[in-house]
Amino acid sequence: MFAFQSPQPVQLPFPAPPPFRKHLKCTAARGSCRPPLCSLTSNPTVSTSTAADDKNRVIQRLCERGELKRALRVLSQETDPNQRTYELLILSCARQNSLSDGLSVHRHLLENGFDQDPFLATKLINMYSELDAIENAREVFDKTRQRTVYVWNALFRALALAGHGHEVIDLYRRMNWVGIPSDRFTYNYVLKACVVSECGLSLLKKGREIHAHILRHGYGGHVHIMTTLVDMYARFGCVKWAGIVFDEMPEKNVVSWSAMIACYAKNGMPFEALELFREMNLETNDLLPNSVTMVSVLQACAALAALEQGRLIHGYVLRRGLDSILPVISTLVTMYARCGKLDRAQQVFDKMDERDVVSWNSLISGYGVHGFGEKAIQVFNEMIISRIPPSPISFVSVLGACSHAGLVEEGKMLFDSMVREHRIFPSVEHYACMVDLLGRANRLDEAAKIIEEMRIEPGPKVWGSLLGSCRIHRNVELAERASARLFELEPMNAGNYVLLADIYAEAQMWDEVRKVKKLLEARRLQKVPGRCWIEVKRKIYSFASVDELNPQIEQLHALLLNLSMEMKEDGYVPQTKIVHYDLDLEGKERILLGHSEKLAVAFGLINSAKGETIRITKNLRLCEDCHSVTKFISKYTKREILVRDVNRFHHFKDGVCSCRDYW
């Protein structure tokens, strides 16, 4: 009936009660026993009913005061507990996190004939869910014959919290088949089951079917259900569908707005996230953003390197008293680090009264993306000394820091310590970090050996890391092997084809370049266009490659052309080899000058104050020509220029980049 997944279920310490056990109890309280048979108390003048009521009240009061052990001692003397008594006992066991006491109450409940009470079955399932005993929750459900919608909902909730989403969907189908009508809680739980499970097209399809079911049964105007729908579509990256649901909501609360802002922030649309936040503040004077809202907004600021926006949000956080909430402060650390203000990130971290592993990970990651690998390792070790156990993400962050800084031996030691010292088994992300670490250092044979010896399927992240390293070191043979696997695993990812074409172009293998281009055309794939964002005077501007819509475009091109002529006199040679179009040299140079990061740099030079740092974010890897040009510009204009690409930070100053050309 169920796909049991718990490795070691807790066995219920009792057999199923006999069918007629309930009728063996004394029924004096119901007036059906003769007086001589009811003499259960030492005082014949006190009725059994009154004594039972007194004991029930005593047990209930003890439960309400948190004295569970005393309540259980009184329960052992009680012959006729009522439903309310059992309810409070079950709730107390959950609050005090005592599975053994919960099993004892459950046994007593069955012995007293409440085994088919659907209300108490609901409470028991909830209790076992809180105590991480999902197998026992399933067993309660299995043995309950009268399953109300509340019993079904309780199991849906328990399974969703335990991450068993597929099982919830299967049970939901059974519930519909037996004719139990869904309520608003049912829809919330089954949608959350889609969200908590591993992403897959099958669950997205089920989620859309549930969406249709919701609309057919008149729940389309329910704010909580619609908000969960937004969450579900966001989880699967269906931003368009999430937006449609959000726009059609007749009523929105702060949770709804926060869900849609988070949808944009987590799906690579930070600009839209900030725009929606601005709209929320304009349209809803009575709704105050909460901590969840602020986390998403700060993530959007971090993604865009929008320092001034982030500072404004920080001030709002302080005014609202949200600076005591750990996720908010951890995201503040990330925001300042990703905006290039590592010193400010460290200050925020140092002032934290309490730190969890997420806080430490934020700081480790911040130093890592800036190329300060040794400092990232130092912070990682400080976390261990502080007795904060590292998480899998901790190792992703510190291994990534080693990769950006070329700390190969240090990274290998940290990787080996995962299982040996911390009992964390490497995932695909950790192997991808190691392949990247070795590949960047031109130890491609070792990187390939790691992939061969993996005990889990490498997946696109690992092969993608190898292909990226092959591009850096122009290893055609290994690149062909990696791309062949990537074309199988991600046939519609245009980036893999473009990367292979770049590698062929570097090797002057033009026939192979044309073959890859034909493959792209045959599959109707297009390269993701380069895009950059820059913040000037607290406004965020977006630039696409060869952008002709900006009103200052002619001025930007003129500035870049003049700078290019000066740079050529100082030794600059345009990297025209990265342009794969069949054009003359002048045409290729013109395309290079139209790259989005160059336009953003020129825009920053024209529109910002003299000496002000220019901060730019790019959605792709910085190209070699833009990297070279930005170094020259930082020297000629005496400006600091921060460019964060998809991999790391580049801090240009006086003609030198912080990456030391190791990227």
Side-chain angles (χ1 to χ4, degrees):
M1 187 178 297
F2 296 94
F4 295 130
Q5 299 179 29
S6 298
Q8 282 295 329
V10 180
Q11 296 297 321
L12 297 176
F14 40 77
F20 301 103
R21 186 73 173 267
K22 187 171 184 176
H23 301 291
L24 298 179
K25 296 193 317 174
C26 172
T27 54
R30 304 182 187 93
S32 58
C33 286
R34 296 175 183 177
L37 299 176
C38 299
S39 302
L40 301 177
T41 61
S42 57
N43 185 354
T45 63
V46 180
S47 70
T48 306
S49 175
T50 303
D53 288 344
D54 288 343
K55 285 188 177 179
N56 273 297
R57 282 193 290 271
V58 169
I59 296 171
Q60 291 169 19
R61 282 197 299 271
L62 289 170
C63 288
E64 288 165 352
R65 293 204 301 260
E67 299 182 52
L68 177 60
K69 295 298 183 184
R70 288 185 62 192
L72 290 173
R73 286 197 291 272
V74 178
L75 177 69
S76 64
Q77 304 165 9
E78 172 59 84
T79 58
D80 196 18
N82 59 31
Q83 187 190 66
R84 176 61 177 165
T85 297
Y86 280 125
E87 178 192 5
L88 290 178
L89 284 165
I90 292 167
L91 291 173
S92 295
C93 293
R95 287 194 194 106
Q96 298 196 20
N97 197 32
S98 177
L99 179 58
S100 59
D101 289 334
L103 291 168
S104 176
V105 171
H106 191 173
R107 179 178 63 248
H108 201 283
L109 178 152
L110 293 181
E111 289 173 350
N112 277 271
F114 283 92
D115 58 306
Q116 291 303 314
D117 185 323
F119 174 79
L120 291 180
T122 301
K123 299 300 178 184
L124 281 168
I125 292 170
N126 288 335
M127 178 193 74
Y128 283 128
S129 172
E130 295 293 324
L131 299 174
D132 295 324
I134 193 67
E135 196 74 13
N136 298 83
R138 287 190 183 105
E139 193 165 347
V140 171
F141 179 84
D142 280 347
K143 291 183 177 179
T144 303
R145 293 187 292 274
Q146 186 184 346
R147 295 172 187 159
T148 64
V149 68
Y150 307 108
V151 176
W152 286 91
N153 286 347
L155 189 62
F156 290 162
R157 175 182 176 273
L159 292 170
L161 287 173
H164 304 319
H166 286 282
E167 191 174 343
V168 174
I169 301 301
D170 291 340
L171 280 168
Y172 177 64
R173 189 186 298 113
R174 278 180 52 197
M175 176 180 158
N176 288 327
W177 185 75
V178 298
I180 303 292
S182 302
D183 64 9
R184 63 189 180 93
F185 296 104
T186 311
Y187 291 125
N188 264 318
Y189 295 143
V190 293
L191 287 172
K192 285 178 180 177
C194 296
V195 173
V196 299
S197 300
E198 290 292 326
C199 279
L201 292 177
S202 60
L203 273 179
L204 174 59
K205 183 180 178 183
K206 292 296 180 186
R208 295 187 69 170
E209 289 174 4
I210 294 163
H211 186 178
H213 203 180
I214 288 166
L215 297 178
R216 281 199 305 272
H217 288 81
Y219 284 91
H222 200 285
V223 63
H224 298 299
I225 295 174
M226 293 297 105
T227 300
T228 311
L229 260 176
V230 171
D231 268 340
M232 185 204 72
Y233 283 125
R235 164 75 168 166
F236 289 101
C238 299
V239 180
K240 180 181 176 181
W241 277 98
I244 290 171
V245 172
F246 179 78
D247 291 340
E248 292 181 351
M249 289 175 68
E251 177 191 352
K252 299 181 181 80
N253 59 20
V254 66
V255 181
S256 317
W257 285 93
S258 299
M260 194 64 218
I261 292 169
C263 175
Y264 284 134
K266 292 175 181 176
N267 283 284
M269 301 175 71
F271 190 85
E272 290 78 1
L274 291 180
E275 281 292 301
L276 190 63
F277 178 64
R278 186 179 64 85
E279 186 181 329
M280 174 185 177
N281 288 319
L282 289 174
E283 291 188 9
T284 58
N285 294 326
D286 57 332
L287 290 182
L288 290 174
N290 58 23
S291 61
V292 177
T293 321
M294 304 321 297
V295 165
S296 297
V297 173
L298 286 168
Q299 287 172 342
C301 292
L304 293 169
L307 179 61
E308 295 307 315
Q309 293 280 342
R311 281 172 170 161
L312 289 174
I313 300 301
H314 190 178
Y316 182 85
V317 165
L318 295 174
R319 290 194 300 275
R320 286 285 320 281
L322 300 174
D323 54 321
S324 61
I325 299 174
L326 264 176
V328 176
I329 303 303
S330 298
T331 313
L332 266 171
V333 173
T334 300
M335 185 274 294
Y336 279 118
R338 303 250 163 182
C339 290
K341 297 291 289 182
L342 266 175
D343 55 342
R344 189 75 181 99
Q346 184 71 62
Q347 287 173 10
V348 172
F349 180 83
D350 291 340
K351 289 180 180 178
M352 294 177 72
D353 295 326
E354 180 186 355
R355 301 178 188 126
D356 60 4
V357 69
V358 178
S359 315
W360 286 95
N361 290 347
S362 297
L363 194 61
I364 295 167
S365 176
Y367 281 113
V369 295
H370 280 270
F372 298 123
E374 292 179 351
K375 180 64 176 177
I377 294 172
Q378 178 188 328
V379 175
F380 178 85
N381 290 331
E382 287 173 5
M383 178 179 72
I384 303 298
I385 293 169
S386 300
R387 297 185 178 180
I388 302 292
S391 68
I393 294 175
S394 306
F395 281 99
V396 171
S397 298
V398 75
L399 289 172
C402 293
S403 181
H404 292 311
L407 302 175
V408 177
E409 297 307 319
E410 292 87 343
K412 290 172 73 174
M413 289 175 61
L414 284 163
F415 184 78
D416 291 340
S417 74
M418 287 179 64
V419 176
R420 186 180 66 251
E421 296 179 19
H422 305 287
R423 308 303 299 168
I424 296 175
F425 290 89
S427 68
V428 168
E429 286 78 10
H430 300 113
Y431 282 110
C433 287
M434 287 303 296
V435 170
D436 188 61
L437 171 68
L438 294 166
R440 284 177 187 272
N442 202 14
R443 294 164 70 162
L444 290 167
D445 290 340
E446 289 182 58
K449 186 178 180 182
I450 279 187
I451 297 176
E452 290 172 2
E453 295 177 351
M454 283 177 64
R455 296 182 179 179
I456 56 178
E457 184 64 31
K461 289 184 179 179
V462 174
W463 289 111
S465 293
L466 184 62
L467 185 60
S469 298
C470 290
R471 182 186 185 280
I472 296 170
H473 300 292
R474 305 175 186 179
N475 189 316
V476 175
E477 182 182 349
L478 204 52
E480 289 177 333
R481 178 182 162 194
S483 59
R485 290 293 296 125
L486 285 167
F487 294 165
E488 292 176 11
L489 296 167
E490 297 180 318
M492 305 309 287
N493 185 344
N496 297 326
Y497 299 87
V498 173
L499 206 52
L500 181 61
D502 287 343
I503 295 167
Y504 282 141
E506 288 273 0
Q508 304 289 307
M509 299 170 65
W510 300 111
D511 288 340
E512 302 303 322
V513 171
R514 283 188 283 273
K515 287 179 183 177
V516 175
K517 283 190 173 183
K518 285 181 180 178
L519 197 57
L520 272 169
E521 292 171 3
R523 296 186 176 180
R524 297 181 179 180
L525 301 177
Q526 288 186 338
K527 178 183 177 182
V528 176
R531 183 168 289 278
C532 284
W533 293 268
I534 182 172
E535 184 185 37
V536 176
K537 295 181 176 64
R538 294 183 178 175
K539 289 185 179 180
I540 300 167
Y541 299 87
S542 174
F543 290 88
S545 294
V546 198
D547 196 337
E548 300 295 340
L549 298 177
N550 191 286
Q552 292 181 303
I553 193 67
E554 292 185 8
Q555 192 178 359
L556 300 181
H557 278 306
L559 175 59
L560 289 170
L561 190 59
N562 288 334
L563 286 170
S564 176
M565 292 171 64
E566 288 185 38
M567 289 186 295
K568 283 181 180 178
E569 293 177 3
D570 204 13
Y572 162 64
V573 178
Q575 303 284 320
T576 54
K577 62 185 178 182
I578 66 175
V579 180
H580 299 158
Y581 298 104
D582 188 14
L583 298 169
D584 59 20
L585 191 62
E586 185 179 344
K588 290 184 176 182
E589 288 185 16
R590 192 163 52 248
I591 286 179
L592 287 176
L593 284 178
H595 278 193
S596 59
E597 51 267 51
K598 293 188 183 77
L599 294 174
V601 169
F603 184 85
L605 290 172
I606 292 171
N607 294 283
S608 61
K610 186 177 181 180
E612 186 178 337
T613 300
I614 295 172
R615 290 180 170 82
I616 295 169
T617 304
K618 183 174 172 61
N619 66 332
L620 303 174
R621 184 180 185 270
L622 198 63
C623 81
E624 290 90 337
D625 190 71
C626 288
H627 192 266
S628 178
V629 167
T630 310
K631 284 198 291 187
F632 274 106
I633 291 176
S634 71
K635 177 182 177 182
Y636 289 148
T637 62
K638 294 182 172 54
R639 288 284 199 107
E640 290 187 35
I641 304 172
L642 281 174
V643 180
R644 197 186 79 224
D645 69 7
V646 71
N647 292 324
R648 60 162 298 155
F649 257 94
H650 298 269
H651 188 161
F652 299 94
K653 185 178 180 182
D654 298 327
V656 178
C657 180
S658 60
C659 74
R660 303 186 303 278
D661 297 335
Y662 187 84
W663 54 289

